[in-house]
Amino acid sequence: MKMIQVSLLLTCMLFSKALSLNCYQCVSSSSVECSKEQVTCPDQCFAATTSVYLSGTMMSEINSKTCGVAEMCVSWSMNLGIMKVTNNAKCCKTNLCNSETIPAPSKQVPNGKRCYTCESDNCKASLNCEGDEDHCISASVQQGGNTMSAKGCVSKSLCDMSKKESVSGIGITKFQCCEGNFCNGAEIFTLSFLLMIVPLISSILFS
């Protein structure tokens, strides 16, 4: 009987080990090489490059590596007019397979889709969507006693990611996506949202 129990224990240990793999884990700017820290992951490894543009000029580029889940293994883009964020991601399922630095997405061109965006206190401005931005977005962030809104174009893949619990857990009271030109209505927007969107993205990726 004891031999059977020992055999079952060893089998479980080996099976558990087979289902896990080692991945690199780090976050760094494009000018700094990611560290070689390793983490044990249950399913797959993840690597991505996230680029932030302000008025068409790249302000930052973040390279990230960690464990991957299905929702993260997609590339996406979000365009709020004055600010645009793009993310190029890749997942893989062998030990330390996320060692490479993922290149930033190539320049995107208008795709014919149009959504509302906000310029100062005018939220009826028209925005030409680019690349795979096939949905319009309307988002709200709770900061203290104030609620701030933003509108623009977004990829469906980010809309799917926004359904995760981690988004609502950091003060997002509304993250709505819709299809069809100008389907995202018009509301007041403040620049404070732009200061919060990068931490939001980090929370989605590393929650």
Side-chain angles (χ1 to χ4, degrees), residues 6-173:
V6 171
S7 297
L8 287 173
L9 178 61
L10 290 173
T11 300
C12 290
M13 291 174 62
L14 290 173
F15 185 66
S16 175
K17 187 174 183 62
L19 290 179
S20 63
L21 69 159
N22 293 328
C23 302
Y24 289 115
Q25 178 169 275
C26 64
V27 177
S28 70
S29 67
S30 58
S31 60
V32 179
E33 184 179 0
C34 251
S35 68
K36 298 299 182 180
E37 179 184 349
Q38 297 181 20
V39 62
T40 300
C41 299
D43 184 30
Q44 53 193 338
C45 302
F46 167 87
T49 293
T50 305
S51 304
V52 180
Y53 298 85
L54 191 61
S55 299
T57 301
M58 181 184 289
M59 303 301 294
S60 66
E61 188 173 278
I62 303 169
N63 300 319
S64 53
K65 305 177 191 296
T66 188
C67 300
V69 295
E71 293 88 351
M72 297 164 57
C73 303
V74 293
S75 297
W76 51 262
S77 174
M78 179 173 60
N79 189 353
L80 301 177
I82 189 175
M83 180 181 181
K84 182 180 176 77
V85 183
T86 63
N87 185 75
N88 195 16
K90 177 183 177 181
C91 288
C92 52
K93 296 187 176 183
T94 57
N95 278 323
L96 304 179
C97 58
N98 62 337
S99 60
E100 66 177 307
T101 297
I102 305 299
S106 57
K107 182 176 176 58
Q108 298 177 319
V109 297
N111 59 21
K113 177 84 175 180
R114 299 176 73 188
C115 299
Y116 283 119
T117 190
C118 301
E119 296 176 354
S120 186
D121 58 351
N122 172 28
C123 281
K124 294 184 179 180
S126 174
L127 179 65
N128 292 317
C129 303
E130 300 175 339
D132 64 352
E133 298 163 0
D134 53 1
H135 282 59
C136 296
I137 182 179
S138 177
S140 295
V141 176
Q142 191 71 37
Q143 186 180 37
N146 299 320
T147 299
M148 291 145 295
S149 301
K151 295 185 179 297
C153 306
V154 68
S155 307
K156 181 181 182 298
S157 51
L158 184 58
C159 294
D160 294 338
M161 286 178 65
S162 73
K163 298 173 184 177
K164 294 179 60 180
E165 184 177 355
S166 59
V167 177
S168 59
I170 61 169
I172 300 298
T173 57

